[in-house]
């Protein structure tokens, strides 16, 4: 039985993605002057597309068996960008791009937190009997 439904689980996964992206951006900013450091990015859209287009149907003999395509922990991936270089020391961190992505990710994260707070507020209203 899924007590919270799929929406809260998807919001949780989205918040985890936003947190991983924030960590990657923070590491990029912290290493902006580190020689040889290559910027990292978190990929989500390509993983989602691959999952949606190549789902494998596994035969389940019991309803308690976990389906093949329910791997929610790997919905994103951190990748390095080794082919670019913006400074003479081999570093490829563009601080302006990183700051813009940090602001965008923070807005995304705040929207997700507002949405999940609304979901829990609705549940709280139901638990109180509509009061």
């Amino acid at each position: 039985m899924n007590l919270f439904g799929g929406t809260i689980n998807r919001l949780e996964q989205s918040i985890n993605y936003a947190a991983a992206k924030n960590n990657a951006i923070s590491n990029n900013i912290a290493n902006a002057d580190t020689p040889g450091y290559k910027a990292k990015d978190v990929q989500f859209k390509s993983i989602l597309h691959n999952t949606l287009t190549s789902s494998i149907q596994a035969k389940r003999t019991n309803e308690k068996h976990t389906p093949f395509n329910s791997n929610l922990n790997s919905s994103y991936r951190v990748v390095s960008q080794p082919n670019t270089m913006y400074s003479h020391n081999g570093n490829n961190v563009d601080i302006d791009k990183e700051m813009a992505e940090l602001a965008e990710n923070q807005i995304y994260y705040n929207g997700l937190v507002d949405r999940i707070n609304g979901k829990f507020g609705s549940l709280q209203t139901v638990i109180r009997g509509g009061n």
Side-chain angles (χ1 to χ4, degrees), residues 17-34:
Y17 160 73
K21 187 164 181 79
N22 192 59
N23 285 339
I25 294 169
S26 298
N27 284 335
N28 290 342
I29 292 171
N31 290 296
D33 294 327
T34 303

Side-chain angles (χ1 to χ4, degrees), residues 4 8-9 13-14 21 40 51 53 63 66 72 74 84 86 90 92 102-103 111 113 115 123 125 129:
F4 298 116
I8 290 179
N9 289 335
Q13 291 298 314
S14 298
K21 187 164 181 79
K40 294 184 175 39
T51 301
T53 58
E63 67 183 27
T66 304
L72 297 175
S74 63
T84 57
Y86 296 126
N92 68 351
L102 184 64
V113 169
R115 187 67 192 124
L123 287 173
T125 300

Side-chain angles (χ1 to χ4, degrees), residues 35-55:
Y37 180 81
K38 299 298 182 188
K40 294 184 175 39
D41 191 19
V42 179
Q43 291 183 343
F44 173 73
K45 291 180 183 175
S46 64
I47 301 293
L48 177 65
H49 177 73
N50 289 341
T51 301
L52 292 177
T53 58
S54 66
S55 65

Side-chain angles (χ1 to χ4, degrees), residues 103-116:
E104 180 183 344
N105 192 53
Q106 187 171 10
I107 291 168
Y108 176 68
Y109 179 84
N110 288 341
L112 291 170
V113 169
D114 285 346
R115 187 67 192 124
I116 203 163

Side-chain angles (χ1 to χ4, degrees), residues 58-68:
K59 182 177 180 179
R60 295 170 51 194
T61 57
N62 188 320
E63 67 183 27
K64 293 180 181 178
H65 291 167
T66 304
F68 266 20

